[in-house]
Amino acid sequence: MNIHFNKSHFFHGLDALRPKGITLPKAALPPVSKLGPVFALLAACIFFAFQSDRFFTGQNFSLILQQVMVVGIIAIGQTLIILTAGIDLSCGMAMALGSVVMTKFAVDHGIDPYLAIVCGIGVCTLVGYVNGALVTAVKLPAFIVTLGTMNIAFAITQIYSHAQTVTGVPDAMAFFGNTFQLGQATFTYGTVLMLALYGLTWLFLRDTAPGRHLYAVGNNPEAARLTGIATNKVLVTVYVVAGFFYGIAALLSVARMGVGDPQAGQTDNLDSITAVVLGGTSLFGGRGSIMGTLVGVLIVGVFRNGLTLMGVSSVYQVLVTGVLVILAVVTDQLTHKKG
């Protein structure tokens, strides 16, 4: 059967999804003044290239991508939430809960691995729904809601797993940890999935009405409501979709580590927020880009990899990351005041 792709019909379909009757900010290539994260990434690469002969190699860059793929996918969900002026502290624990659920279902309960994966992703999505429902229905601050669900998810994970790592996971859960050769570099299928999800999210935010609604809600929720946007529906959907991404991250964590680890994800919430802020997304909502987050994820990965090659201890790496976050937040604060 031949399938003919009609480009004009495809983009006409996207046009139909765009909002009617309201004026929303248009996506465009960022001006030079907003390319700071890219310049910071390039500067970091040049600096570490002079510090270590092993840094500027294809093998090392592929290693960086493997190291950041879990946090990278969590950061997609975190970006969507921060664009609506929210924040999610529960993402790391939700990811750990999802990884334990899918591995225990498959290993201890003998459930089909693919069904177990769906269950693990479903649990993460449920955590996202609870966050969104509490934020919209009870009108609680996202910080408080997700702080609570973070602790609940952590406790459930420890109780259900008895704080023990789940080993002997089936091959189906290890697929995205498999590698393929490209030149002298080795890549995992997980990194390919991460880059593909960034591309799809970029298209969603740029070319669809729900994507533009998300920016509008984060920029001014009352104005968005008056233009006819169902702001609560948008917020709940954003938290649910973010939870789905945490489930995908859980699968990649299992694939990379080969186990279901109840101790995983304890710093992923802060790492994902760091990446989003470094990528130029405003903590005040309504301003930022998903590709900026990808650059932020790479900045974090490059710094940690480069410092490791220089023999810097993990404690100092955390210190450097903290300094980067403060600098990024100060820059965001100053930019917001000028705006």
Side-chain angles (χ1 to χ4, degrees):
M1 180 176 68
N2 294 324
I3 299 176
H4 300 286
F5 176 75
N6 190 316
K7 185 177 179 181
S8 63
H9 286 178
F10 174 75
F11 286 103
H12 179 74
L14 291 179
D15 288 338
L17 292 173
R18 290 189 172 116
K20 308 296 183 184
I22 57 175
T23 302
L24 298 173
K26 293 181 178 179
L29 289 175
V32 175
S33 60
K34 293 186 177 180
L35 290 176
V38 177
F39 293 145
L41 177 60
L42 292 176
C45 289
I46 293 171
F47 173 77
F48 289 118
F50 279 105
Q51 300 300 316
S52 172
D53 294 336
R54 290 182 294 165
F55 179 80
F56 213 75
T57 63
Q59 192 65 36
N60 190 51
F61 280 115
S62 63
L63 176 62
I64 292 173
L65 284 175
Q66 292 176 39
Q67 291 172 334
V68 303
M69 66 182 185
V70 172
V71 171
I73 289 185
I74 290 176
I76 297 176
Q78 190 73 264
T79 302
L80 298 179
I81 292 174
I82 290 180
L83 282 174
T84 64
I87 198 165
D88 191 350
L89 300 180
S90 68
C91 54
M93 290 299 99
M95 186 274 291
L97 177 59
S99 70
V100 166
V101 167
M102 66 176 65
T103 51
K104 280 190 75 70
F105 273 26
V107 175
D108 292 354
H109 305 303
I111 296 176
D112 180 86
Y114 295 104
L115 179 58
I117 291 171
V118 171
C119 292
I121 295 174
V123 167
C124 295
T125 307
L126 178 62
V127 173
Y129 174 76
V130 171
N131 285 335
L134 290 174
V135 167
T136 55
V138 192
K139 305 296 182 187
L140 291 174
F143 178 86
I144 301 299
V145 169
T146 58
L147 181 64
T149 51
M150 177 186 74
N151 286 290
I152 292 171
F154 173 77
I156 293 175
T157 302
Q158 299 300 314
I159 293 169
Y160 182 49
S161 66
H162 303 288
Q164 299 296 314
T165 300
V166 183
T167 58
V169 299
D171 291 341
M173 292 184 180
F175 171 77
F176 287 107
N178 295 334
T179 60
F180 65 93
Q181 202 74 20
L182 190 62
Q184 295 184 341
T186 302
F187 296 92
T188 64
Y189 292 107
T191 60
V192 175
L193 176 63
M194 179 190 73
L195 296 175
L197 290 177
Y198 270 93
L200 290 173
T201 307
W202 177 70
L203 285 174
F204 166 76
L205 291 173
R206 193 193 67 163
D207 281 328
T208 70
R212 310 314 298 165
H213 288 173
L214 192 149
Y215 278 95
V217 170
N219 189 50
N220 190 328
E222 183 60 19
R225 187 184 66 81
L226 293 174
T227 58
I229 297 174
T231 55
N232 283 349
K233 184 178 179 182
V234 170
L235 287 174
V236 171
T237 303
V238 163
Y239 280 92
V240 168
V241 171
F244 176 79
F245 279 118
Y246 306 155
I248 300 295
L251 177 59
L252 294 195
S253 175
V254 172
R256 183 164 188 267
M257 305 299 293
V259 297
D261 185 3
Q263 309 303 328
Q266 297 195 14
T267 61
D268 286 351
N269 52 355
L270 294 181
D271 286 347
S272 65
I273 295 170
T274 300
V276 174
V277 174
L278 286 177
T281 296
S282 173
L283 289 172
F284 298 96
R287 184 159 46 87
S289 72
I290 193 65
M291 288 306 174
T293 295
L294 179 58
V295 174
V297 168
L298 293 176
I299 290 174
V300 174
V302 163
F303 263 88
R304 292 199 168 158
N305 177 271
L307 292 173
T308 300
L309 291 177
M310 291 172 61
V312 178
S313 71
S314 59
V315 175
Y316 287 97
Q317 294 180 29
V318 174
L319 187 150
V320 171
T321 303
V323 171
L324 289 174
V325 172
I326 291 174
L327 290 175
V329 171
V330 169
T331 303
D332 178 42
Q333 183 84 356
L334 294 175
T335 305
H336 183 76
K337 286 182 178 178
K338 287 181 180 179

